[in-house]
Amino acid sequence: MASSKKRSECPISTSLEIWGDKWSLLIIRDLMFKKQCTYGDFLKSQEKIATNILASRLLVLEENNIIVKLEHPESKAKVLYQLTEKGIELFPVLVEISLWAEKYYDIPKERESLIAKAKNNKAEFIAKGIKKMKEGL
Amino acid sequence: MASSKKRSECPISTSLEIWGDKWSLLIIRDLMFKKQCTYGDFLKSQEKIATNILASRLLVLEENNIIVKLEHPESKAKVLYQLTEKGIELFPVLVEISLWAEKYYDIPKERESLIAKAKNNKAEFIAKGIKKMKEGL
DNA sequence: TAAATTTGCTTGCATTTTGCAAGTGCAAAG
DNA sequence: CTTTGCACTTGCAAAATGCAAGCAAATTTA
């Protein structure tokens, strides 16, 4: 369950060892779009992550200080997951991935305007996005 | 061996289905640093990818037009792998990953000056990097 | 207040992917 | 014409994934 020794000191390798799989960045994506999510919210996402995988990924992200668990204001039965600053700082990575995908694949119409904004002034789009997310901390 | 149906239309999900694993971006990283690599070159990388995994990842990257195989000018026994334009366009993603990692982890000294350049003027660093790589196409 | 439901997981198990070691076939060098 | 190098492939054990069911605590409903 604990992370084993690093493959190398390469920053890309280090990063991939934490969130380099098919699911982690989707969890982070959900948190960027929705700010706060319950366990059930993640399960509702289109990609249909299996519940045990979700639990294991949330644990790894939490262990690596990318997300935190907060108590839900309305109910003790619910849990809120939120990005930390370290998680928020992954925003530029997700933006670049989106822009790459937009060049080579079809993008859902609902996402187009956002991508257009990001393309139009990338630096500002990223700075504003991060700023807004950090206000919620 | 062929890719199954997409989980969703989300550009991030689409991207992760191609190269969202612990190895693919390291292959792409090697090609960005070294422009061209033989099969053996990849195996020599610090992270020690298993040879069967390497073969399977190279195939997926090739099928998705991110890399191409070229014949080696000196020998038919060797193969050269090279990034396509689509692969080169992943450079911004790798830069952002590196910059994120640099904020939260120790970076090898040899990589520091490059990261410093990227931080200093990100847009220019990326543009120049892409331009240079595209000259080799 | 007892029963039913919701929520956040855990467990068991079959399938798939990974990792390691050894092997294979073709090309080139000795 | 035999040995070495290179690009993979194969076999198998171990780990990760995916699916369905289960479960305890909290909350809602009756």
Side-chain angles (χ1 to χ4, degrees), chain A residues 22 97-98 100-101 105, chain B residues 10-20:
Chain A
K22 299 212 183 303
I97 292 173
S98 299
W100 179 81
Y105 301 96
Chain B
C10 169
I12 295 167
S13 176
T14 301
S15 302
L16 293 178
E17 291 200 63
I18 300 170
W19 46 258

Side-chain angles (χ1 to χ4, degrees), chain B residues 4 9-10 23 30 39 41 53 58-60 63 66-67 74-75 91 95-96 100-102 107 111 115 121 127:
Chain B
S4 46
E9 294 297 315
C10 169
W23 294 107
D30 285 350
Y39 192 88
D41 287 336
I53 306 295
L58 288 172
L59 186 62
V60 171
E63 286 172 343
I66 287 169
I67 62 174
E74 296 168 8
S75 160
F91 185 56
V95 169
E96 291 295 357
W100 178 81
E102 188 266 343
I107 296 300
R111 206 65 83 78
I115 301 232
N121 190 339

Side-chain angles (χ1 to χ4, degrees), chain B residues 42-60:
Chain B
F42 293 118
L43 290 177
K44 282 175 211 146
S45 285
Q46 261 191 90
E47 293 86 4
K48 298 292 164 215
I49 187 170
T51 173
N52 55 338
I53 306 295
L54 175 59
S56 77
R57 288 301 106 84
L58 288 172
L59 186 62
V60 171

Side-chain angles (χ1 to χ4, degrees), chain B residues 94-110:
Chain B
L94 295 203
V95 169
E96 291 295 357
I97 292 173
S98 299
L99 290 175
W100 178 81
E102 188 266 343
K103 280 183 188 152
Y104 300 101
Y105 301 95
D106 288 330
I107 296 300
K109 284 152 292 296
E110 6 129 24

Side-chain angles (χ1 to χ4, degrees), chain A residues 9-135:
Chain A
E9 294 297 315
C10 170
I12 295 167
S13 175
T14 301
S15 302
L16 293 177
E17 291 201 63
I18 300 170
W19 46 259
D21 67 274
K22 299 212 183 303
W23 294 107
S24 297
L25 287 184
L26 296 182
I27 292 171
I28 292 165
R29 170 204 65 186
D30 285 350
L31 286 170
M32 287 182 176
F33 275 113
K34 299 195 280 188
K35 312 304 177 195
Q36 297 188 142
C37 292
T38 63
Y39 192 89
D41 288 335
F42 293 117
L43 289 177
K44 283 174 211 145
S45 285
Q46 261 191 88
E47 292 87 5
K48 297 290 167 221
I49 187 170
T51 173
N52 55 338
I53 306 295
L54 175 59
S56 77
R57 288 300 107 84
L58 287 172
L59 185 62
V60 170
L61 292 175
E62 198 191 352
E63 286 172 344
N64 286 280
N65 304 308
I66 288 169
I67 63 175
V68 272
K69 280 165 86 163
L70 303 174
E71 48 182 51
H72 192 105
E74 296 169 8
S75 161
K76 277 181 197 165
K78 294 183 185 177
V79 177
L80 280 180
Y81 289 92
Q82 194 178 49
L83 290 170
T84 60
E85 170 172 325
K86 187 176 172 183
I88 291 170
E89 293 288 346
L90 281 169
F91 185 56
V93 174
L94 296 202
V95 170
E96 292 294 357
I97 292 173
S98 299
L99 291 175
W100 179 81
E102 189 265 343
K103 278 182 190 154
Y104 301 100
Y105 301 96
D106 288 329
I107 296 301
K109 284 152 291 296
E110 7 130 24
R111 206 68 81 78
E112 278 173 5
S113 69
L114 203 59
I115 301 232
K117 270 190 200 172
K119 258 204 299 198
N120 184 60
N121 191 338
K122 199 198 288 182
E124 186 190 53
F125 179 82
I126 288 174
K128 281 191 177 174
I130 289 179
K131 192 185 172 196
K132 196 161 191 181
M133 285 190 261
K134 287 194 181 173
E135 284 167 9

